[in-house]
Amino acid sequence: MTAVKVHDKYFVPFLSEETIQQKISAVAATISLDYQGKKPLFIAILNGSFMFAADLFKHISGDAEICFIKLASYKGTRSTGHVVTAIGLDTDVTGREVVIVEDIIDTGKTLHNFLPQLYNQQPASVKIAVLLHKPEATVYPININYCCFAIPNKFVVGYGLDYDGLGRNLKEIFQLQGEE
Ligand code: 5GP
Ligand code: MG
């Protein structure tokens, strides 16, 4: 893998396609075991998680459902700290075993805002599956049940994650070059 240019910035290879795929199938196997005999409802948070959600979900065995909501808080390479619900939840979660699927937990603000709305509808349980977690960026601590990769506090793109709309179609994950 070589560096890529997205808009005005250069990004260097960080996680290969193989590394990502191996980890996702291992996490999916753990989730499948944990929910054996149940019918979990996966709620994937768009846009960033669409690729992760697809790859994770196809490795889940047994009955499972998936639906999508759209929350956004990022502009460029920095969080705006302001979370907007662009597409809301259209599925009844009351009494359901919910697994939230997120691309990345950065400050934790997105889930910090969304979780109370979800708990209001009285799901039987809520667990969180994330592809990436930046522990050093935590402002709102979130209890993560399934984490694929804990990463440094640097901006990344690829595999569904964008920089101002671009970079989502990269199969690997790249890190902003030279960022401290
Ligand atoms: P949080 O609310 O936890 O601060 O941020 C969550 C959202 O911000 C993620 O779902 C993702 O869309 C975006 N985000 C956070 N860090 C990054 C990053 O390094 N790269 C990209 N492309 N998006 C990020
Ligand atoms: Mg996201």
Side-chain angles (χ1 to χ4, degrees), residues 67 108 111 131 161:
C67 67
L111 287 181
L131 178 66
L161 291 115

Side-chain angles (χ1 to χ4, degrees), residues 5-7 155 157-158 160-170:
K5 191 177 184 204
V6 181
H7 290 296
F155 190 77
V157 291
L161 291 115
D162 73 311
Y163 165 40
D164 267 350
L166 296 183
R168 295 194 198 275
N169 51 332
L170 297 164

Side-chain angles (χ1 to χ4, degrees), residues 135-156:
E136 296 155 27
T138 306
V139 177
Y140 304 90
I142 301 289
N143 181 22
I144 302 170
N145 306 91
Y146 308 102
C147 176
C148 296
F149 304 98
I151 64 166
N153 191 10
K154 293 187 182 178
F155 190 77
V156 291

Side-chain angles (χ1 to χ4, degrees), residues 20-152:
I20 296 167
Q21 294 300 332
Q22 277 180 0
K23 188 70 192 187
I24 291 174
S25 46
V27 168
T30 305
I31 296 175
S32 300
L33 264 183
D34 289 354
Y35 288 87
Q36 235 171 13
K38 298 179 177 165
K39 192 179 64 180
L41 172 65
F42 289 72
I43 302 179
I45 303 181
L46 298 172
N47 291 327
S49 73
F50 76 96
M51 222 175 256
F52 172 48
D55 284 339
L56 182 77
F57 197 64
K58 67 189 168 202
H59 287 105
I60 299 293
S61 50
D63 285 348
E65 293 178 23
I66 189 164
C67 67
F68 300 87
I69 61 168
K70 183 171 177 180
L71 307 174
S73 72
Y74 249 66
K75 193 154 180 55
T77 61
R78 300 261 171 258
S79 177
T80 60
H82 180 76
V83 182
V84 178
T85 303
I87 300 174
L89 193 60
D90 67 350
T91 308
D92 186 10
V93 301
T94 311
R96 299 298 305 268
E97 315 269 2
V98 172
V99 181
I100 294 177
V101 181
E102 243 301 34
D103 52 353
I104 180 164
I105 296 187
D106 182 39
T107 64
K109 175 137 188 157
T110 306
L111 287 181
H112 175 82
N113 279 23
F114 176 63
L115 288 173
Q117 296 176 39
L118 192 63
Y119 281 118
N120 255 341
Q121 299 187 40
Q122 302 185 323
S125 68
V126 177
K127 286 192 179 180
I128 296 171
V130 291
L131 178 66
L132 307 169
H133 178 215
K134 292 180 182 168
E136 296 155 27
T138 306
V139 177
Y140 304 90
I142 301 289
N143 181 22
I144 302 170
N145 306 91
Y146 308 102
C147 176
C148 296
F149 304 98
I151 64 166

